[in-house]
Amino acid sequence: MSNGAHPGESSPYVELDRDAWAALGRTTEQPLSREEIDRVRGLGDELDLEEVQQVYLPLSRLLSLRVKAATTLHRSQEEFLHQPQPPRTPFVIGLAGSVAVGKSTTARVLQQMLAHWPEHPRVSLVTTDGFLLPNAELRRRGLLHRKGFPESYDRKALLKFVIDIKSGRDEVEAPTYSHLVYDVVPDERIVVSRPDIVVIEGLNVLQSAAVRADGRAGLAVSDFFDFSVYVDAATADIRRWYTDRFLRLRETAFRDPASYFARYASLSHDEAVSEASRIWDEINGPNLKQNVQPTRSRATLVLRKDHDHSVRWVRLRKL
């Protein structure tokens, strides 16, 4: 076990290798069946019972402890103020990482596992894709080629959504996104109703607030997170996973005539690899380097993946 520092140095983090982290979950029953894992696994993600047991079970237990502590703190504050307080607001978890790193699968696994704990059965998952500006608006602004960059989102709407969640509103709505048509779905909403926990997953959810022209900084979505996770890996591995996923989609979803990317279905293998490389080098790679990776240090916990998608070590910020 390592604390992430050289001998004689202190660190604000605790760093545990795979074996040390896995040991934390050995006394806890694994709640997900093989069928449930199959349902939450993303395209190309290597996720099995062992990975869930050794990595995500300890994480779900840690998060459950954090939720319980937040409830205790809420009651203590209520006593301190000498007046009844509204019920504790939902515990919000931000989950960030690159395209193709597997953060969507991580979010779905955590949602399922956290909902198995009886203390907080209502767990909602919201992706920030729904807060992307519609394609028509992106075209109007000349930003379609920068989809996924911070400026391609309706950041005010996303911030209002998170503020409404943390304000304790009974129901909060979020827009939905279709990966098939590669656009926001008009007039279709996700209703988040009185959740115990909300997981918010997206590329840029850990970004700090932008500085305004007058020099003042506004609020950031991450200001309202109770816990945050960054799914990390070597850039070369993520690039390879993106290409592999592109090739799988070429054989599956891209063959749907309704798919925005149907034109890619007819590409040869070499043409598909070339196109995936171009998209990565022009869009996803630069976005990762410029906007996503710099937020890694803001996460409460980092899951570092190896070349085979398995998590090799975990870094947790000390309390």
Side-chain angles (χ1 to χ4, degrees):
M1 185 183 301
S2 166
N3 66 359
H6 295 294
E9 293 182 358
S10 59
S11 169
Y13 303 100
V14 176
E15 191 170 301
L16 295 89
D17 61 24
R18 170 66 173 250
D19 291 341
W21 179 256
L24 302 176
R26 285 178 188 153
T27 60
T28 305
E29 182 180 354
Q30 205 284 96
L32 299 188
S33 67
R34 188 179 301 276
E35 291 73 22
E36 287 176 306
I37 293 171
D38 287 340
R39 283 199 297 270
V40 301
R41 183 188 291 119
L43 189 66
D45 281 353
E46 300 296 330
L47 182 69
D48 55 23
L49 284 169
E50 183 179 78
E51 188 80 359
V52 171
Q53 177 75 34
Q54 295 187 359
V55 176
Y56 296 103
L57 184 58
L59 178 53
S60 73
R61 180 57 179 154
L62 172 64
L63 288 168
S64 185
L65 290 172
R66 291 283 191 123
V67 175
K68 184 178 179 180
T71 301
T72 301
L73 181 60
H74 173 268
R75 290 171 182 161
S76 297
Q77 180 168 285
E78 186 177 53
E79 293 174 3
F80 171 75
L81 294 173
H82 300 294
Q83 57 182 333
Q85 296 294 297
R88 181 182 62 79
T89 60
F91 191 91
V92 178
I93 302 167
L95 199 151
S98 171
V99 168
V101 79
K103 66 182 180 301
S104 296
T105 296
T106 296
R108 291 192 295 268
V109 170
L110 285 179
Q111 179 190 25
Q112 292 296 317
M113 297 194 80
L114 288 168
H116 278 276
W117 292 96
E119 298 90 349
H120 38 71
R122 299 187 302 275
V123 183
S124 297
L125 170 60
V126 176
T127 72
T128 60
D129 292 341
F131 293 93
L132 283 161
L133 295 169
N135 286 352
E137 180 62 19
L138 291 173
R139 289 192 189 95
R140 189 185 71 80
R141 300 187 187 190
L143 292 175
L144 191 60
H145 67 293
R146 291 178 67 81
K147 196 166 189 177
F149 282 69
E151 63 268 27
S152 66
Y153 292 86
D154 186 342
R155 286 178 281 189
K156 288 184 178 179
L158 177 56
L159 180 61
K160 182 180 185 304
F161 170 79
V162 179
I163 289 175
D164 285 346
I165 289 287
K166 291 302 289 183
S167 297
R169 289 185 56 180
D170 286 344
E171 288 192 351
V172 182
E173 294 186 351
T176 62
Y177 185 85
S178 168
H179 288 277
L180 181 67
V181 300
Y182 194 59
D183 205 353
V184 178
V185 181
D187 303 321
E188 187 173 311
R189 316 289 287 182
I190 298 170
V191 178
V192 178
S193 181
R194 304 188 67 182
D196 300 307
I197 300 172
V198 180
V199 180
I200 300 178
E201 176 255 308
L203 290 168
N204 300 298
V205 294
L206 294 183
Q207 283 206 316
S208 55
V211 179
R212 300 168 180 165
D214 61 4
R216 294 185 299 168
L219 290 171
V221 169
S222 58
D223 291 335
F224 297 93
F225 293 163
D226 298 289
F227 195 94
S228 56
V229 177
Y230 185 96
V231 184
D232 193 26
T235 300
D237 288 333
I238 304 174
R239 189 182 194 276
R240 175 170 51 83
W241 297 338
Y242 176 78
T243 300
D244 290 345
R245 188 176 74 175
F246 190 93
L247 293 174
R248 291 188 182 93
L249 288 169
R250 166 177 156 268
E251 299 295 331
T252 53
F254 291 172
R255 294 190 179 276
D256 188 327
S259 173
Y260 179 88
F261 300 103
R263 62 190 182 279
Y264 294 145
S266 61
L267 295 178
S268 68
H269 178 275
D270 290 346
E271 289 171 337
V273 170
S274 177
E275 182 63 12
S277 296
R278 182 194 66 80
I279 295 171
W280 178 269
D281 292 339
E282 294 182 3
I283 301 174
N284 296 319
N287 193 24
L288 173 60
K289 183 177 181 180
Q290 297 167 21
N291 301 303
V292 183
Q293 277 182 340
T295 69
R296 177 176 51 197
S297 62
R298 306 189 75 239
T300 314
L301 180 140
V302 175
L303 296 173
R304 176 71 179 198
K305 289 188 170 186
D306 210 341
H307 63 90
D308 60 355
H309 258 294
S310 64
V311 173
R312 304 318 304 165
W313 53 259
V314 176
R315 189 184 72 194
L316 175 66
R317 187 180 300 163
K318 294 177 181 177
L319 287 173

